Each structure stands twice: as structure tokens, then as C-alpha cells.
Amino acid sequence: MKQGKFTFGKSEKLCSRKFIDKLFDSGEAFMAFPLRVQYLFDVLPEEVEAQAMFSASKRRFKRAVKRNLLKRRMREAYRLNKEPLLAVLKEKNIQTGVAFLFVSKEELDYHAIEKAMKKAIQKLINEVETR
């Protein structure tokens, strides 16, 4: 990835069904309200430091428009704040898959989601550094 580019390309999206199943079966999780973060340090199918996926519950948000809005906000917050995490992963030569699940009952604005995303990324960095 080029330095200073805030992108979120295809190779950074967690799509592998096998890896997603493994992530939810044997990965670890923590809360950074309104986000639940599920992560697994393992070899990824792509040559990137981290792959991420974003989800909002259909049970809590019946309308697809709302779910998509929340996922867009989470993706944008991740895209703009992931650099420190990727730098630490590259330095330690570790790959990770991460799922960001939106767990709040009400729709939150971008700033609340970004604040939680920054907290979540910091916790992930701490996890990487304690390995």
C-alpha cells in the first residue's frame, strides 16, 4: 500500500467464507461501544496486513438503507484511521482478519462511530504489541 493513501481496496475486504467462519469460531473479541470487534491473527488469503468486514444486524435495523448507512460510516472511519494499525502489523510481520459488528440499538452519527473505531483500532494495536 502506498504511504499516505487512505484507500480501502478489494484486497483489504474480508471476503473468504472459510476465513470468516474461522474468525467467528476461534477468534477473540472485545467491545468498543457501539462496535463489537472480532479478530484473528492468522495467515490471510491476500498479501495485506489486515482484512476487515463490517456488519449491522438485520434484527436491529430492519431497513437495508439504515444498515448500509451504518456500514458505510464504519468503513469510512476505518479507512481514515487504520494507518497506525497497519504500520504495527507490518513491523511485527503479522496478518489479521477483523470483523466490526455494529451492536447499538439506535443509529449513531459518524462522529460517535469514528470515536469508537479509533478506540477499537488502539485496542487492536495493543493486542498486536503484547504478542
Side-chain angles (χ1 to χ4, degrees), residues 63-76:
R63 305 230 168 231
V65 174
K66 283 274 197 282
R67 291 195 303 277
N68 292 339
L69 175 71
L70 291 168
K71 290 188 285 187
R72 260 198 317 274
R73 287 175 179 170
M74 287 191 287
R75 265 196 308 272
E76 184 69 359

Side-chain angles (χ1 to χ4, degrees), residues 48-107:
V48 290
E49 289 82 36
Q51 284 189 328
M53 66 176 280
F54 305 88
S55 177
S57 168
K58 192 172 182 176
R59 181 194 258 168
R60 288 203 177 99
F61 300 98
K62 302 281 187 243
R63 305 230 168 231
V65 174
K66 283 274 197 282
R67 291 195 303 277
N68 292 339
L69 175 71
L70 291 168
K71 290 188 285 187
R72 260 198 317 274
R73 287 175 179 170
M74 287 191 287
R75 265 196 308 272
E76 184 69 359
Y78 175 76
R79 183 180 74 82
L80 294 173
N81 296 294
K82 69 183 178 183
E83 281 300 319
L85 173 64
L86 296 182
V88 171
L89 287 167
K90 192 177 195 90
E91 180 188 306
K92 299 254 186 197
N93 201 21
I94 298 173
Q95 286 186 311
T96 185
V98 189
F100 295 97
L101 311 168
F102 191 84
V103 295
S104 174
K105 285 181 174 62
E106 64 266 348
E107 177 191 341

Side-chain angles (χ1 to χ4, degrees), residues 2 4 9 12 14 21 23 26 37 45 55-56 64 67-69 78 81 88 91 97 110-111 126-127:
K2 293 181 193 86
E12 293 180 75
L14 184 54
D21 289 343
L23 170 68
S26 56
V37 182
S55 177
R67 291 195 303 277
N68 292 339
L69 175 71
Y78 175 76
N81 296 294
V88 171
E91 180 188 306
Y110 174 75
H111 297 291
N126 295 344
E127 288 294 325

